[in-house]
Amino acid sequence: MTNAVVTLNHGKKAFGDNEVLKDISLTVNKGDVLAVIGPSGGGKSTLLRCLALLETLNSGDLSYGDLVVCSNNAEGRAVYGDAATIAKAKTRYGLVFQNFNLFPHYTVLQNVTDALICVQKMPKDEALARGRDLLAKMGLADKESMVPCDLSGGQQQRVAIARAMAMNPDVLYFDEPTSALDPELTREVLKVIRDLAAEHMTMVIVTHEMGFARDVADQIIFMDGGVIVEQGPASEVINNPRHDRTRAFLANYDRD
């Protein structure tokens, strides 16, 4: 019985002649928090987009638990499952974008509950109750009837996290969730993610917040040039990196 929530073996992705992911393998187990760090253009966001099925791999094997999403054919090309398999895979994860991606004309509560009602066909009263519980967890119980433009960036990102959690996913993906926020709002959102980590929510977080990555993640992957240069326990990678490239990258960051 595997404990793996998501597994990628030998993932490769190119855009034309630009090979963005060169041979990426990783496993995220239940309750793990994995932080992905590295320079811009190193492949971090493309990796997350491939895991979240927003991009298709050229080759490699991707699974969610026992659900095989894609695997290589005899020619070494990734072949994806049918529409039912992909639809099932999409229920296994939630995705939080750096720019929130909320529906601007929906209220906060509608943003959180829309997929529950329209995709999962959950009874409306049940969906509303779940949405309100999640908004309370995010400290937004009094904001449910507002629209996104009436909220601060930090509040919008907390709505986005509530929306991602609404489907009760096996893993949450965060693509630089604080990059659009000022320092005060960044702290607000990072606190929510810390609280989720304390509750053993399985997460993969692409981030430039090195101190946060060290303190919250179990494992860190450092990516550069489309490959995993270094990976290991978070405190070891941040405080005692083994590779020169990792050391050079971290020298540019405040790790407090």
Side-chain angles (χ1 to χ4, degrees):
M1 180 70 179
T2 180
N3 201 29
V5 172
V6 58
T7 305
L8 174 63
N9 287 316
H10 305 296
K12 296 181 181 180
K13 175 65 180 178
F15 297 98
D17 294 332
N18 182 20
E19 200 175 7
V20 180
L21 301 180
K22 294 181 179 174
D23 188 3
I24 302 293
S25 296
L26 59 85
T27 298
V28 184
N29 291 316
K30 186 175 175 60
D32 280 357
V33 178
L34 172 67
V36 185
I37 64 171
S40 297
K44 308 183 301 297
S45 289
T46 298
L47 169 62
L48 208 60
R49 289 177 65 82
C50 287
L51 294 177
L53 309 181
L54 297 173
E55 300 283 357
T56 54
L57 293 161
N58 298 123
S59 66
D61 304 294
L62 174 64
S63 299
Y64 279 91
D66 57 359
L67 182 68
V68 177
V69 177
C70 71
S71 55
N72 281 345
N73 62 12
E75 288 78 45
R77 305 287 295 177
V79 177
Y80 280 75
D82 59 16
T85 299
I86 299 305
K88 190 173 182 183
K90 287 180 176 179
T91 69
R92 302 284 178 98
Y93 62 83
L95 179 59
V96 179
F97 300 90
Q98 54 185 292
N99 293 317
F100 325 135
N101 284 26
L102 300 173
F103 294 119
H105 56 292
Y106 280 13
T107 67
V108 164
L109 186 58
Q110 285 174 320
N111 266 284
V112 175
T113 59
D114 180 64
L116 291 176
I117 296 166
C118 297
V119 178
Q120 285 200 342
K121 309 300 182 188
M122 183 181 286
K124 188 172 182 180
D125 56 347
E126 194 178 323
L128 292 175
R130 177 158 177 74
R132 288 186 172 114
D133 283 347
L134 285 166
L135 289 174
K137 187 184 181 81
M138 296 295 131
L140 297 168
D142 58 340
K143 309 293 185 189
E144 68 172 60
S145 60
M146 291 185 173
V147 290
C149 66
D150 292 331
L151 304 178
S152 71
Q155 289 169 336
Q156 289 186 59
Q157 193 61 294
R158 284 184 280 152
V159 174
I161 294 170
R163 179 181 62 183
M165 292 177 63
M167 304 285 274
N168 199 27
D170 295 335
V171 57
L172 281 180
Y173 294 135
F174 294 86
D175 186 8
E176 299 187 16
T178 61
S179 66
L181 304 175
D182 66 32
E184 185 176 356
L185 298 180
T186 291
R187 285 192 293 273
E188 181 183 301
V189 171
L190 294 182
K191 181 187 182 302
V192 170
I193 301 174
R194 287 176 194 272
D195 291 346
L196 293 174
E199 296 172 11
H200 306 291
M201 181 74 209
T202 310
M203 294 184 280
V204 178
I205 308 168
V206 172
T207 184
H208 286 299
E209 301 286 339
M210 296 303 136
F212 168 76
R214 178 195 59 210
D215 296 343
V216 173
D218 301 297
Q219 295 279 318
I220 285 180
I221 284 174
F222 172 65
M223 287 183 69
D224 188 24
V227 300
I228 294 174
V229 175
E230 183 165 350
Q231 68 184 105
S235 59
E236 278 186 29
V237 173
I238 296 294
N239 294 333
N240 300 294
R242 298 191 309 274
H243 290 264
D244 290 344
R245 181 66 190 94
T246 318
R247 282 195 287 272
F249 173 77
L250 289 171
N252 296 315
Y253 282 93
D254 179 1
R255 300 177 222 180
D256 293 337

